[in-house]
Amino acid sequence: MVIKVFLASSSGSTAIKKKQQDVLGFLEALKVEYAPLDIACNVDNRTWMRENVPVEKKPTNGIPLPPQIFNEESYCGDYETFFDAKEDNSVYAFLGLPPPPGSKKATAEEVAQEEDEEAKGEDDQAVSEDEEEALEVTEDEEEEVAEVGESEEEEDE
């Protein structure tokens, strides 16, 4: 999965430039694979971005400003939602990516998965112990039946 970041390479707004740099810098720091797509020089990129930003996420003038972030074809959000995800330490969820191995969320998921596996193992062992007890009872019953059968044979003689 490649994250698509729609940018404007020649923006007159320093605010947009800073937001774009913030997004790209953070993705690089996380070593997330992304593709910067320029909307200033490429009309196809601009058209695709404008058509694929959900209507409820577009500003009042109807033209979304960069940076806009997508996971393949799926819309993730704009700078504000990215910033909120960054503040909440939920960037991977925002991007629709699994957390990297060793991260706190990944560790929590791994621990939960291990606990599930251990619980299943304990269930298996409990069943095995029950089965063992049932087998022991069956063996004891067989011995009793054999003893009863022998004593009846002795009485018949």
Side-chain angles (χ1 to χ4, degrees):
M1 286 185 254
V2 175
I3 302 302
K4 297 178 182 177
V5 183
F6 288 87
L7 313 164
S9 61
S10 58
S11 174
S13 168
T14 55
I16 288 176
K17 288 179 184 177
K18 286 181 180 178
K19 290 175 181 179
Q20 292 175 161
Q21 279 306 111
D22 187 28
V23 170
L24 295 181
F26 200 76
L27 293 176
E28 286 175 12
L30 293 178
K31 297 181 177 149
V32 171
E33 185 178 338
Y34 69 92
L37 301 170
D38 191 4
I39 64 169
C41 299
N42 188 319
V43 177
D44 292 338
N45 286 345
R46 184 178 330 137
T47 304
W48 192 92
M49 181 195 79
R50 288 181 179 174
E51 289 174 354
N52 289 285
V53 170
V55 175
E56 64 274 4
K57 301 291 183 174
K58 290 183 179 179
T60 52
N61 69 359
I63 301 172
L65 298 174
Q68 295 293 326
I69 305 161
F70 290 80
N71 183 336
E72 296 292 339
E73 309 297 314
S74 176
Y75 182 72
C76 297
D78 58 5
Y79 177 76
E80 282 69 30
T81 52
F82 173 81
F83 183 81
D84 291 342
K86 191 169 94 169
E87 291 294 308
D88 294 338
N89 291 322
S90 60
V91 173
Y92 287 99
F94 166 78
L95 295 171
L97 299 173
S103 69
K104 287 182 183 177
K105 289 196 177 192
T107 305
E109 289 172 8
E110 290 168 2
V111 167
Q113 189 176 19
E114 287 174 8
E115 288 174 354
D116 288 346
E117 289 172 4
E118 287 176 9
K120 287 179 185 175
E122 288 173 7
D123 290 346
D124 292 344
Q125 287 177 350
V127 170
S128 297
E129 289 172 10
D130 290 344
E131 289 175 350
E132 276 183 33
E133 288 175 16
L135 287 174
E136 287 174 11
V137 169
T138 306
E139 289 172 1
D140 291 345
E141 289 173 353
E142 286 175 7
E143 288 175 10
E144 288 176 19
V145 169
E147 288 174 7
V148 169
E150 288 174 6
S151 63
E152 286 177 359
E153 286 175 13
E154 289 174 4
E155 287 175 8
D156 289 340
E157 294 175 3

